[in-house]
Amino acid sequence: MHQKNLNNTFTESKTGFRDRVYLLVGQIPSGRVMSYGQLAALCGNPRAARIVGGIAHHGPEHLPWQRVVKKGGGLASGYYGGLEGHKADLEREGVIVTDYKVVDIGNVRWWPDE
DNA sequence: CGCGTGACGTCTC
DNA sequence: CGAGACGCCACGC
């Protein structure tokens, strides 16, 4: 037929990774943060943290990527505006940041279970 | 369809 | 504690 599979890759299982990242990031409430590895794990691959970073860099700007930090609470240098911008956006939401690292990350880390 | 890549993570020194 | 090196894997060309 005329339709073919085009690029196919419409298999939810595979493209799901990137889409899930978008959905999860969009679900992070204000004042809370998630780590790249955490997002990756929830997407199905705890070792795909780097992939989440790459997706974040190229992902939609309307998503709260500022709520995505490293596992230890470290901010992302590649964030639009750099560490300063990232820090400013997090503090704006009430997240305490010191030396470009989220303070008490264990308390502000958010999980979809909540 | 293979290679390089990177907003990470973990180990070692 | 801090910095450096390796590994890991989805994504784009």
Side-chain angles (χ1 to χ4, degrees), chain A residues 29-33 66-67 86-98 101-105 107-109:
Chain A
S30 180
R32 298 282 198 171
V33 299
Q66 58 236 36
R67 295 171 190 160
H86 198 169
K87 178 182 175 184
D89 288 344
L90 283 175
E91 289 184 331
R92 186 175 301 166
E93 296 183 349
V95 179
I96 309 302
V97 180
T98 300
K101 284 175 289 193
V102 176
V103 178
D104 195 358
I105 177 67
N107 192 34
V108 296
R109 185 170 293 171

Side-chain angles (χ1 to χ4, degrees), chain A residues 15-75:
Chain A
T15 59
F17 190 88
R18 192 172 65 178
D19 287 339
R20 290 179 192 182
V21 174
Y22 293 146
L23 293 174
L24 282 169
V25 174
Q27 295 306 307
I28 303 174
S30 180
R32 298 282 198 171
V33 299
M34 288 184 73
S35 64
Y36 296 96
Q38 191 179 347
L39 285 166
L42 291 172
C43 288
N45 286 32
R47 296 184 252 182
R50 298 188 67 166
I51 314 307
V52 177
I55 292 168
H57 194 188
H58 242 308
E61 298 179 12
H62 64 82
L63 288 174
W65 297 109
Q66 58 236 36
R67 295 171 190 160
V68 183
V69 298
K70 295 187 183 183
K71 189 172 186 183
L75 305 188

